[in-house]
Coordinates of all heavy atoms in Angstrom, one line a residue:
I1254 N -6.4 -1.7 5.9 CA -5.3 -2.2 5.1 C -4.3 -1.1 4.9 O -3.1 -1.3 5.0 CB -5.8 -2.9 3.8 CG1 -6.6 -4.1 4.1 CG2 -4.6 -3.2 2.9 CD1 -7.3 -4.7 2.9
L1255 N -4.7 0.0 4.5 CA -3.9 1.2 4.3 C -3.0 1.5 5.7 O -1.8 1.7 5.6 CB -4.6 2.4 4.0 CG -5.1 2.4 2.5 CD1 -6.0 3.7 2.3 CD2 -3.9 2.5 1.5
E1256 N -3.7 1.5 6.8 CA -3.1 1.8 8.0 C -2.0 0.7 8.4 O -1.0 1.0 8.9 CB -4.1 1.9 9.2 CG -3.5 2.2 10.5 CD -2.9 3.6 10.6 OE1 -2.9 4.3 9.6 OE2 -2.2 3.9 11.7
S1257 N -2.4 -0.6 8.1 CA -1.4 -1.6 8.2 C -0.2 -1.4 7.4 O 0.9 -1.6 7.9 CB -2.1 -3.0 7.9 OG -1.0 -4.0 7.8
M1258 N -0.4 -1.1 6.2 CA 0.8 -0.8 5.2 C 1.6 0.3 5.9 O 2.9 0.3 5.8 CB 0.4 -0.5 3.9 CG -0.3 -1.8 3.2 SD -1.0 -1.3 1.5 CE 0.5 -1.1 0.6
R1259 N 1.0 1.4 6.3 CA 1.7 2.5 6.8 C 2.5 2.1 8.0 O 3.6 2.5 8.3 CB 0.8 3.6 7.2 CG 0.1 4.2 5.9 CD -0.8 5.4 6.4 NE -1.7 5.8 5.3 CZ -3.1 5.8 5.4 NH1 -3.6 5.4 6.6 NH2 -3.8 6.2 4.5
C1260 N 1.9 1.2 8.9 CA 2.5 0.8 10.1 C 3.9 0.1 9.7 O 5.0 0.4 10.3 CB 1.7 -0.2 10.9 SG 2.4 -1.2 12.2
W1261 N 3.9 -0.9 8.8 CA 5.0 -1.6 8.5 C 6.1 -0.7 7.7 O 7.3 -0.9 7.9 CB 4.7 -2.8 7.6 CG 4.0 -3.9 8.4 CD1 2.7 -4.1 8.5 CD2 4.6 -4.9 9.2 NE1 2.4 -5.1 9.4 CE2 3.6 -5.7 9.9 CE3 5.9 -5.2 9.5 CZ2 3.9 -6.7 10.7 CZ3 6.3 -6.3 10.3 CH2 5.2 -7.0 10.9
A1262 N 5.5 0.1 6.9 CA 6.5 0.9 6.0 C 7.1 2.1 6.8 O 8.3 2.4 6.5 CB 5.7 1.4 4.7
L1263 N 6.4 2.8 7.6 CA 6.8 4.0 8.2 C 7.3 3.7 9.6 O 8.2 4.4 10.1 CB 5.7 5.0 8.2 CG 5.1 5.4 6.8 CD1 4.0 6.4 7.0 CD2 6.1 5.8 5.9
E1264 N 6.7 2.8 10.3 CA 7.1 2.6 11.7 C 8.2 1.5 11.8 O 9.2 1.6 12.6 CB 5.9 2.1 12.6 CG 4.8 3.2 12.7 CD 3.6 2.7 13.5 OE1 3.8 1.6 14.2 OE2 2.5 3.2 13.2
L1265 N 8.1 0.5 10.9 CA 9.0 -0.6 10.9 C 10.0 -0.6 9.8 O 11.0 -1.4 9.7 CB 8.3 -2.0 11.0 CG 7.4 -2.0 12.2 CD1 6.7 -3.4 12.3 CD2 8.1 -1.9 13.6
G1266 N 9.8 0.3 8.8 CA 10.8 0.6 7.8 C 10.8 -0.3 6.5 O 11.8 -0.2 5.7
V1267 N 9.9 -1.3 6.3 CA 10.0 -2.2 5.1 C 9.8 -1.3 3.8 O 9.3 -0.2 3.9 CB 9.0 -3.3 5.2 CG1 9.1 -4.1 6.6 CG2 7.5 -2.8 5.1
D1268 N 10.3 -1.9 2.8 CA 10.4 -1.2 1.5 C 9.4 -1.5 0.5 O 9.3 -1.0 -0.7 CB 11.8 -1.5 0.9 CG 12.9 -1.1 1.9 OD1 13.1 0.0 2.2 OD2 13.6 -2.0 2.4
G1269 N 8.5 -2.6 0.7 CA 7.5 -2.9 -0.2 C 6.7 -4.1 0.2 O 7.0 -4.7 1.3
F1270 N 5.8 -4.4 -0.6 CA 4.8 -5.5 -0.2 C 4.5 -6.4 -1.5 O 4.5 -5.9 -2.6 CB 3.5 -5.0 0.2 CG 3.6 -4.1 1.4 CD1 3.7 -2.7 1.3 CD2 3.7 -4.7 2.7 CE1 3.9 -1.9 2.4 CE2 3.7 -3.8 3.8 CZ 3.9 -2.5 3.7
R1271 N 4.4 -7.7 -1.2 CA 3.9 -8.6 -2.3 C 2.5 -9.1 -1.8 O 2.5 -9.8 -0.7 CB 4.9 -9.8 -2.4 CG 4.4 -10.8 -3.4 CD 3.8 -12.0 -2.6 NE 3.6 -13.2 -3.4 CZ 2.8 -14.2 -3.1 NH1 2.2 -14.2 -1.8 NH2 2.6 -15.2 -3.8
F1272 N 1.4 -8.8 -2.5 CA 0.1 -9.1 -2.1 C -0.2 -10.7 -2.5 O -0.4 -10.9 -3.7 CB -0.9 -8.2 -2.7 CG -0.6 -6.8 -2.4 CD1 -0.1 -5.9 -3.2 CD2 -1.1 -6.3 -1.1 CE1 0.2 -4.5 -2.9 CE2 -0.9 -4.9 -0.7 CZ -0.2 -4.1 -1.7
D1273 N -0.4 -11.4 -1.4 CA -0.9 -12.8 -1.7 C -2.3 -12.8 -2.2 O -3.2 -12.1 -1.7 CB -0.9 -13.6 -0.4 CG -1.4 -14.9 -0.4 OD1 -0.7 -15.8 -1.0 OD2 -2.4 -15.3 0.2
L1274 N -2.4 -13.6 -3.4 CA -3.7 -13.6 -4.0 C -4.3 -12.2 -4.2 O -5.5 -11.9 -4.0 CB -4.7 -14.5 -3.3 CG -4.4 -15.9 -3.1 CD1 -5.5 -16.6 -2.4 CD2 -4.0 -16.7 -4.4
G1275 N -3.4 -11.3 -4.7 CA -3.8 -9.9 -4.6 C -5.0 -9.5 -5.5 O -5.7 -8.5 -5.2
I1276 N -5.2 -10.3 -6.5 CA -6.3 -9.9 -7.4 C -7.7 -10.1 -6.7 O -8.7 -9.4 -7.1 CB -6.4 -10.8 -8.7 CG1 -7.2 -10.1 -9.8 CG2 -6.8 -12.2 -8.5 CD1 -6.8 -8.8 -10.2
E1277 N -7.8 -10.8 -5.6 CA -8.9 -10.9 -4.7 C -9.3 -9.5 -4.2 O -10.5 -9.3 -4.0 CB -8.7 -11.9 -3.6 CG -10.0 -12.2 -2.8 CD -10.3 -11.2 -1.8 OE1 -9.3 -10.5 -1.2 OE2 -11.5 -11.0 -1.3
L1278 N -8.3 -8.7 -4.0 CA -8.5 -7.4 -3.3 C -9.3 -6.5 -4.3 O -9.6 -5.3 -4.0 CB -7.3 -6.8 -2.9 CG -6.6 -7.7 -1.8 CD1 -5.1 -7.1 -1.5 CD2 -7.4 -7.8 -0.5
S1279 N -9.4 -6.9 -5.7 CA -10.0 -6.1 -6.7 C -11.5 -6.5 -6.8 O -12.2 -5.9 -7.7 CB -9.3 -6.2 -8.0 OG -9.6 -7.5 -8.6
R1280 N -12.0 -7.3 -6.1 CA -13.4 -7.9 -6.2 C -14.3 -7.0 -5.5 O -14.0 -6.5 -4.3 CB -13.5 -9.3 -5.7 CG -12.8 -10.4 -6.6 CD -13.0 -11.7 -6.2 NE -12.4 -12.7 -7.0 CZ -13.0 -13.4 -7.9 NH1 -14.3 -13.1 -8.3 NH2 -12.3 -14.4 -8.6
G1281 N -15.5 -6.7 -6.0 CA -16.5 -5.9 -5.4 C -17.7 -6.8 -4.9 O -17.4 -7.9 -4.6
D1282 N -18.8 -6.1 -4.7 CA -19.9 -6.8 -4.2 C -20.2 -8.1 -5.0 O -20.2 -8.0 -6.2 CB -21.1 -5.9 -4.1 CG -21.0 -4.7 -3.2 OD1 -20.1 -4.8 -2.3 OD2 -21.7 -3.8 -3.3
G1283 N -20.5 -9.2 -4.3 CA -20.8 -10.4 -5.0 C -19.6 -11.0 -5.7 O -19.7 -11.8 -6.6
L1284 N -18.4 -10.5 -5.3 CA -17.1 -10.9 -5.9 C -16.9 -10.5 -7.4 O -16.1 -10.9 -8.1 CB -17.0 -12.4 -5.8 CG -16.9 -13.0 -4.4 CD1 -16.6 -14.5 -4.5 CD2 -15.8 -12.5 -3.5
K1285 N -17.7 -9.5 -7.8 CA -17.5 -9.0 -9.2 C -16.2 -8.3 -9.3 O -15.8 -7.4 -8.5 CB -18.7 -7.9 -9.4 CG -18.6 -7.3 -10.9 CD -19.6 -6.3 -11.0 CE -19.5 -5.6 -12.4 NZ -20.5 -4.5 -12.6
P1286 N -15.4 -8.7 -10.4 CA -14.1 -8.1 -10.6 C -14.3 -6.6 -11.0 O -15.2 -6.2 -11.8 CB -13.5 -8.9 -11.8 CG -14.3 -10.1 -11.7 CD -15.6 -9.9 -11.3
L1287 N -13.5 -5.7 -10.4 CA -13.6 -4.3 -10.6 C -12.4 -3.8 -11.3 O -11.2 -4.2 -11.2 CB -13.6 -3.5 -9.2 CG -14.8 -3.9 -8.3 CD1 -14.6 -3.1 -7.0 CD2 -16.2 -3.7 -8.9
D1288 N -12.6 -2.9 -12.3 CA -11.5 -2.3 -13.1 C -10.8 -1.2 -12.3 O -9.7 -0.8 -12.6 CB -12.0 -1.8 -14.4 CG -12.3 -2.9 -15.3 OD1 -11.6 -4.0 -15.3 OD2 -13.3 -2.8 -16.2
N1289 N -11.5 -0.6 -11.3 CA -11.0 0.5 -10.5 C -11.2 0.2 -9.1 O -12.0 0.8 -8.3 CB -11.6 1.8 -10.9 CG -11.4 2.2 -12.3 OD1 -10.2 2.5 -12.7 ND2 -12.4 2.2 -13.1
P1290 N -10.4 -0.9 -8.5 CA -10.7 -1.3 -7.2 C -10.4 -0.1 -6.2 O -9.3 0.5 -6.2 CB -9.7 -2.4 -7.0 CG -9.3 -2.8 -8.3 CD -9.4 -1.6 -9.2
P1291 N -11.2 0.1 -5.2 CA -11.0 1.2 -4.2 C -9.7 1.1 -3.5 O -9.0 2.2 -3.3 CB -12.2 1.1 -3.3 CG -13.3 0.5 -4.0 CD -12.6 -0.5 -5.0
L1292 N -9.3 -0.1 -3.1 CA -8.0 -0.3 -2.3 C -6.9 0.2 -3.2 O -6.0 0.9 -2.7 CB -8.0 -1.7 -1.9 CG -6.6 -2.1 -1.2 CD1 -6.5 -1.2 0.1 CD2 -6.5 -3.6 -0.8
F1293 N -6.8 -0.4 -4.4 CA -5.7 -0.1 -5.2 C -5.6 1.4 -5.6 O -4.5 2.0 -5.5 CB -5.7 -0.9 -6.5 CG -5.5 -2.4 -6.2 CD1 -5.8 -3.3 -7.3 CD2 -4.9 -2.9 -5.1 CE1 -5.7 -4.7 -7.0 CE2 -4.8 -4.2 -4.9 CZ -5.1 -5.2 -5.9
E1294 N -6.7 2.0 -5.7 CA -6.7 3.4 -6.0 C -6.3 4.2 -4.8 O -5.4 5.2 -4.9 CB -8.0 3.9 -6.5 CG -8.5 3.4 -7.9 CD -9.7 4.1 -8.4 OE1 -10.5 4.6 -7.6 OE2 -9.9 4.2 -9.6
A1295 N -6.7 3.8 -3.6 CA -6.3 4.5 -2.4 C -4.7 4.3 -2.1 O -4.1 5.2 -1.7 CB -7.0 3.9 -1.2
I1296 N -4.2 3.1 -2.4 CA -2.8 2.8 -2.2 C -2.0 3.7 -3.1 O -1.0 4.4 -2.7 CB -2.5 1.4 -2.5 CG1 -3.0 0.5 -1.4 CG2 -0.9 1.2 -2.6 CD1 -2.9 -1.0 -1.7
E1297 N -2.4 3.8 -4.5 CA -1.7 4.6 -5.4 C -1.7 6.1 -5.1 O -0.9 6.9 -5.6 CB -2.1 4.3 -6.8 CG -1.7 2.8 -7.1 CD -2.1 2.4 -8.5 OE1 -3.1 3.0 -9.1 OE2 -1.5 1.5 -9.1

């Protein structure tokens, strides 16, 4: 996902993203909600 974002932002020039159903990306094993999701921490 990070590499995809870099592709669109750095190679194709877009300025941002709106994450569809983005809170799903914060779920951990067994769909448990996480307070420190690895993806969001990596993005930031």
Side-chain angles (χ1 to χ4, degrees):
I1254 292 173
L1255 284 174
E1256 181 64 7
S1257 167
M1258 293 176 67
R1259 295 181 192 124
C1260 168
W1261 288 95
L1263 304 179
E1264 297 175 21
L1265 302 179
V1267 305
D1268 304 291
F1270 302 94
R1271 175 265 189 194
F1272 300 102
D1273 177 66
L1274 301 183
I1276 197 62
E1277 187 277 335
L1278 302 172
S1279 75
R1280 292 180 180 268
D1282 293 342
L1284 297 181
K1285 178 183 178 181
L1287 303 176
D1288 288 329
N1289 299 291
L1292 175 62
F1293 292 161
E1294 290 193 332
I1296 290 172
E1297 294 181 336

